[in-house]
Amino acid sequence: MTQALPPYEVGRLAGAVLDSVGTVVVGKRDSLELVLAGILAGGHVLLEDLPGLGKTLTARCFAQSLGLDFRRLQFTPDLLPADVTGSFLYDQRKGDFAFRAGPVFTNMLLADEINRTPPKTQSALLEAMQEKQVSVEGVTYRLDPPFHVLATANPIEYEGTYPLPEAQLDRFLLRVSFGYPTAEEEWDVLRRRMSRRQEEATLSPVVDAHTLQLMQAACESVAVEDSIGRYIVALTSATREHGAVLVGSSPRGSLALLLLARARAAMAGRDYVVPEDVKDVAVPALAHRITLRPEMWLRQVNPSFVVQEVLSAVPAPASGALPTYARHD
């Protein structure tokens, strides 16, 4: 069994990774923390925002800083499922068919502009994301850990985009947006580009794949007291009862809140979760799992607004009790 790192060491390493990525991706510390929390929680991250705001750059920088094998797959309207998973090709020398692995066989896959390809190809990632395996022609291939998908997506209002199926959206642990930088941050981007005298920014690894797995194992040791666990369930349940919601978050949303809150606690060097950890990840963990009533779009209500209202309505617990499952007689 893989031995976990102590919480303070996870916090130190996480800070070093964020500092490294922050030298290239300027002024987005909060968003970068969410992305790293998703990776430490063992999940996949959807980066949805307007073009040119650093989504692809963020994925590449995290792969470099975490020391992971990295592949980028550009999703286009003519991309086929076999282009993602791989396929069997006839080997003339051996006189038999041999499997050629697709780009999904890596540690970190950048699914660039994932919503520019039809749903059939989008769904080719579902098994890999959920089961960490790929089935081709009846043969199942396991993916080597760690395996993470960082997908970028443009807003669905843009021409040539296909809405992601609800089942695939639910596979992403969280959805993160960056937004436009401030004028000072944008000038900092230009200044750093001039100082490095080249387009590509290359980062040295801060950790490696094995150390990342140790950090992920540490998150499994973070304690969650009963009151916070019930708070997580109450938040998710409240999304199903909100008047603007057609379909609320599934229990997978509760699980996402739990995993991300644990990761946030570990990044802070703690071995226990506080209510603020849950609040910090509620919007990115739940908003993409909510389907609004059709008339809400006319009122310019969005799922993030619903989650904010739920956070305001559901009382947060006090922290400090030992979880029931951790008590000893």
Side-chain angles (χ1 to χ4, degrees):
M1 182 176 179
T2 302
Q3 185 177 2
L5 295 173
Y8 66 85
E9 183 66 8
V10 177
R12 185 188 69 80
L13 291 174
V17 170
L18 290 170
D19 290 342
S20 175
V21 176
T23 61
V24 178
V25 184
V26 180
K28 303 298 178 186
R29 183 79 176 199
D30 291 344
S31 297
L32 296 178
E33 288 179 355
L34 290 171
V35 174
L36 183 57
I39 295 172
L40 291 182
H44 312 288
V45 183
L46 178 62
L47 305 173
E48 185 177 87
D49 218 325
L50 299 168
L53 295 182
K55 303 184 296 295
T56 301
L57 181 64
T58 296
R60 190 180 300 276
C61 288
F62 268 113
Q64 292 175 352
S65 292
L66 294 171
L68 300 180
D69 182 40
F70 173 76
R71 293 190 183 182
R72 176 183 178 273
L73 181 59
Q74 181 67 49
F75 279 67
T76 57
D78 60 349
L79 195 72
L80 299 176
D83 297 327
V84 179
T85 61
S87 59
F88 281 92
L89 297 178
Y90 186 73
D91 189 336
Q92 292 182 342
R93 291 176 298 179
K94 297 181 179 180
D96 198 0
F97 286 90
F99 179 67
R100 186 184 66 179
V104 74
F105 287 85
T106 185
N107 295 137
M108 181 173 288
L109 175 67
L110 169 58
D112 213 0
E113 296 187 303
I114 191 173
N115 60 341
R116 288 200 180 278
T117 199
K120 182 177 181 180
T121 305
Q122 293 175 4
S123 63
L125 274 176
L126 284 179
E127 182 183 12
M129 293 172 66
Q130 185 63 28
E131 307 295 336
K132 307 296 176 67
Q133 66 183 30
V134 170
S135 297
V136 180
E137 300 291 338
V139 181
T140 299
Y141 300 90
R142 298 293 300 179
L143 299 174
D144 293 332
F147 172 70
H148 300 279
V149 174
L150 264 62
T152 70
N154 295 319
I156 59 173
E157 294 82 3
Y158 269 59
E159 184 178 356
T161 58
Y162 300 82
L164 289 173
E166 286 81 359
Q168 186 166 350
L169 273 176
D170 208 30
R171 294 306 196 279
F172 286 102
L173 197 62
L174 74 166
R175 180 176 63 182
V176 180
S177 297
F178 288 153
Y180 285 111
T182 65
E184 191 61 31
E185 290 169 349
E186 194 163 355
W187 161 238
D188 202 13
V189 171
L190 303 183
R191 183 177 57 79
R192 296 187 189 197
R193 169 61 182 84
M194 290 187 289
S195 66
R196 67 173 178 263
R197 297 177 179 269
Q198 61 180 15
E199 184 63 31
E200 290 295 323
T202 303
L203 299 177
S204 299
V206 177
V207 298
D208 56 18
H210 176 66
T211 305
L212 174 60
Q213 289 180 277
L214 294 179
M215 296 169 70
Q216 292 171 335
C219 295
E220 293 295 333
S221 302
V222 175
V224 181
E225 64 184 53
D226 294 359
S227 61
I228 293 182
R230 294 184 181 278
Y231 176 55
I232 289 173
V233 173
L235 288 174
T236 308
S237 299
T239 66
R240 305 166 196 157
E241 301 165 0
H242 195 282
V245 174
L246 182 65
V247 180
S249 174
S250 69
R252 191 175 278 150
S254 296
L255 185 60
L257 281 178
L258 172 69
L259 296 176
L260 288 168
R262 275 179 151 185
R264 291 284 289 191
M267 289 169 62
R270 285 184 276 106
D271 62 354
Y272 59 92
V273 171
V274 297
E276 286 69 24
D277 296 324
V278 180
K279 294 177 182 179
D280 288 344
V281 300
V283 172
L286 296 180
H288 65 293
R289 306 177 196 273
I290 294 173
T291 302
L292 297 178
R293 296 184 181 278
E295 61 270 20
M296 292 300 109
W297 295 105
L298 298 176
R299 302 180 187 176
Q300 296 184 331
V301 175
N302 62 57
S304 298
F305 174 76
V306 171
V307 178
Q308 293 286 4
E309 284 198 338
V310 165
L311 284 171
S312 299
V314 177
S319 182
L322 189 67
T324 300
Y325 63 81
R327 291 181 185 139
H328 300 282
D329 295 331

